[in-house]
Amino acid sequence: MTTNDYSLEGLHHVQLAIPAGAEDQCREFWGEVLGMTELEKPPVLAARGGCWFRGGGLEVHLGVEQDFSPAKKAHPGILVSSIHGLAARLEDQGHEVTWDDNFPGHERFYAFDKLGNRLEFLEPKN
């Protein structure tokens, strides 16, 4: 019998890459569109650029990558409530929403942030 002397407790944050100088676009999308709160980065990390956001138990770190290429396949899967309300909000703000009914027990759609990173939003079906 094998016993673990550790346990996984949850996800602290997801990091997505951004190009240098794109922090204002991130603030517009993650802060204004999604309504997340920007966090103050520790000074040693703030010097690298990027920004961090928190909301609904989720933390997203947006870090500068020199040869930035948006993640078109890799993505965070974000659980939400009122998924249709979020979809309407994103569409009202000019973000295309692509619904996908291939994940059993959930309603879900994909969207992209202002920099082209893929995001998945899911809500369990009742």
Side-chain angles (χ1 to χ4, degrees), residues 11-81:
L11 187 64
H12 182 273
H13 69 272
V14 171
Q15 176 149 338
L16 297 172
I18 65 170
E23 289 84 357
D24 286 343
Q25 289 174 283
C26 294
R27 289 181 180 103
E28 184 180 333
F29 182 79
W30 294 97
E32 295 175 25
V33 175
L34 293 183
M36 297 178 82
T37 301
E38 185 170 0
L39 303 173
E40 185 175 339
K41 291 179 66 174
V44 68
L45 298 177
R48 300 178 188 174
C51 43
W52 296 355
F53 293 87
R54 181 183 294 148
L58 173 66
E59 198 165 299
V60 177
H61 294 183
L62 301 152
V64 173
E65 187 171 291
Q66 294 307 319
D67 296 322
F68 171 75
S69 179
K72 300 290 187 187
K73 182 71 174 171
H75 61 273
I78 301 170
L79 289 171
V80 301
S81 61

